[in-house]
Amino acid sequence: MAIRPYRLHFAARLLSWTGSAVAPIGLAFAVLKIGGGPGALGAVLAASVVPQILLLLVGGVVADRLPRHRVMVWSNIVCAAAEAAAVLLLLSGTAQVWHLVAMSAVCGAAGAFFTPAAGGIVVEVVPAELRHAANALLKIGQNTVKVAGPALGGVLVAVVGPGWALGWDALTFAASALLFSRISLRAKNVKVRTGFTADLREGWDDFRSRRWLWVMVCQAAVIVPVWLVGYQLLGPVYGQRVLGGAAPWGVVVSGFTAGLVAGAALALMWKPRRVGFVVCAGTGSMAVPLGAMAAAVPLPVLALATALAGSGLAVSMTVWASLVQERIPADRLGRTLSYSTLGQILPVPFGYLLAGPASQVFGLRTTLAVGALIIAAAAVVPLAIAQVRGLCLAPLVVKEGDGPAVPARAER
């Protein structure tokens, strides 16, 4: 936190996360309020992912060529404008489902540029020996503001309507853009002899040459869409039908974010070397809440299940971010992250669009149970590969003299 660019980055992300904590509940119940059902909500959520699929590789090249903080500024400004327009429509009573689909698509397009830039900026502003702690602090900040956020979002939706939740998110996007603009980074030295296609090819070669990376991305390509369908799409529907509305579902989401805080705090104190086992165990824990909903457990038990999943996910995400930052060259990190993210989200729109019909045909609880089984199975498959089992964070090697500690050389 003594490093000014990191401090500004941390403050901007923290502010934006205070809006993002309530936005999902506001968006879900905005769709339900204007007459949409699971299918309409699936279309809105899918609309945020499709532009990311189309533009992520472009965003990765841009993040490696331009100052990453500038990319983040404009991404936030675009999201703030799109959400502000949707808020005006909701508050005026003229919003339709397609309006929210359009807003979601614009924010998804902006996210395609923001994600690779945000994933690489820590490498630029924090020395190697502090990056694991920097990643853990970001997770702690992100998850701390979300503990009360979902419950507050549920109350806002119940008392004043979903438009106000989205309005707060738009305001925080704008304010965080202002903070990002104050970060000062050196301009990138772009090699003029290479073009856009050459940059993409270089990023792809770097991605596919790392077996551990693309195997874990394939795992995420299964787990991420199943989790998002079960928790983000069918979860609010479960909350409305089984739990009784937005407020109790907000309690469940708060349980998840409380687990995220605990897991991030654990990651700050614990730097595990066996990354492959930790990541697989953490992602596998996301099967627990879906199974709990399928079993229709009481609300406190469901909240505890989501807390367990949140803890496992936070630890796995923190150590994974540190591993990727350690092993991927900084000048290729944006492109590599864009390929990685693209692989994870490519199946998501299909999951969103199929989840509604599947829950109507097979039933809500049966669909959730199948999702839990898929996540549990996908979590353990990569451990059959020796390179994944052997994934480790390199120990720090202290230089002689006054030089800082640096990670030991790691295998690809």
Side-chain angles (χ1 to χ4, degrees):
M1 296 299 290
I3 303 171
R4 184 176 184 272
Y6 176 80
R7 189 166 64 249
L8 288 169
H9 175 69
F10 181 89
R13 299 299 297 274
L14 187 68
L15 183 59
S16 180
W17 287 325
T18 61
S20 300
V22 301
I25 291 181
L27 181 60
F29 285 91
V31 173
L32 299 175
K33 180 181 178 180
I34 61 179
L41 180 56
V44 172
L45 296 175
S48 69
V49 180
V50 172
Q52 293 188 56
I53 292 174
L54 298 177
L55 296 173
L56 255 173
L57 299 184
V58 179
V61 173
V62 170
D64 283 343
R65 282 177 170 253
L66 301 180
R68 291 183 171 120
H69 66 294
R70 296 295 180 189
V71 177
M72 296 162 71
V73 167
W74 286 105
S75 298
N76 274 26
I77 290 174
V78 169
C79 283
E83 287 199 346
V87 168
L88 292 175
L89 292 171
L90 286 168
L91 296 181
S92 66
T94 59
Q96 300 179 32
V97 171
W98 75 267
H99 292 141
L100 299 181
V101 168
M103 178 213 73
S104 188
V106 172
C107 289
F113 293 87
F114 183 90
T115 300
I121 198 169
V122 171
V123 174
E124 295 190 64
V125 300
V126 178
E129 68 272 15
L130 296 178
R131 286 175 193 158
H132 181 79
N135 291 325
L137 281 174
L138 283 170
K139 286 299 176 187
I140 290 174
Q142 177 185 18
N143 301 326
T144 298
V145 298
K146 290 185 176 181
V147 171
L152 176 61
V155 173
L156 284 174
V157 169
V159 175
V160 296
W164 293 102
L166 292 178
W168 172 247
D169 195 30
L171 181 63
T172 57
F173 268 127
S176 60
L178 179 62
L179 289 174
F180 284 134
S181 69
R182 299 180 62 191
I183 298 176
S184 178
L185 296 176
R186 290 178 298 178
K188 303 289 182 65
N189 295 320
V190 180
K191 295 180 289 185
V192 296
R193 68 178 181 273
T194 64
F196 180 82
T197 303
D199 282 349
L200 279 180
R201 188 183 306 114
E202 185 181 48
W204 170 251
D205 290 341
D206 197 68
F207 173 79
R208 70 181 179 87
S209 68
R210 304 172 190 274
R211 188 184 184 192
W212 60 270
L213 181 58
W214 61 257
V215 166
M216 297 303 287
V217 169
C218 289
Q219 180 202 62
V222 175
I223 292 178
V224 168
V226 174
W227 167 252
L228 292 178
V229 163
Y231 179 73
Q232 194 176 48
L233 194 159
L234 297 181
V237 177
Y238 179 90
Q240 186 182 54
R241 294 181 182 177
V242 180
L243 299 179
W249 179 247
V251 173
V252 174
V253 178
S254 292
F256 180 68
T257 52
L260 288 172
V261 173
L266 175 61
L268 180 62
M269 298 180 291
W270 175 49
K271 187 179 180 181
R273 294 208 62 212
R274 305 303 296 270
V275 174
F277 286 97
V278 171
V279 172
C280 288
T283 53
S285 68
M286 292 190 288
V288 179
L290 303 191
M293 284 189 282
V297 300
L299 178 60
V301 178
L302 179 56
L304 181 62
T306 56
L308 174 65
S311 298
L313 181 61
V315 172
S316 65
M317 290 179 67
T318 302
V319 298
W320 180 255
S322 299
L323 180 77
V324 171
Q325 292 168 1
E326 179 182 285
R327 297 197 177 194
I328 307 298
D331 62 336
R332 301 183 185 182
L333 189 55
R335 283 165 289 171
T336 302
L337 288 174
S338 68
Y339 279 108
S340 176
T341 306
L342 178 63
Q344 296 177 47
I345 69 172
L346 192 59
V348 171
F350 303 100
Y352 279 147
L353 295 175
L354 293 175
S359 65
Q360 293 176 351
V361 173
F362 302 106
L364 179 61
R365 291 171 58 185
T366 300
T367 305
L368 290 167
V370 172
L373 292 174
I374 292 174
I375 290 177
V380 300
V381 169
L383 294 176
I385 299 173
Q387 195 176 84
V388 174
R389 294 196 304 272
L391 282 176
C392 294
L393 286 172
L396 292 178
V397 176
V398 180
K399 292 182 177 180
E400 295 183 2
D402 297 329
V406 297
R409 182 179 178 87
E411 296 180 357
R412 292 171 66 87

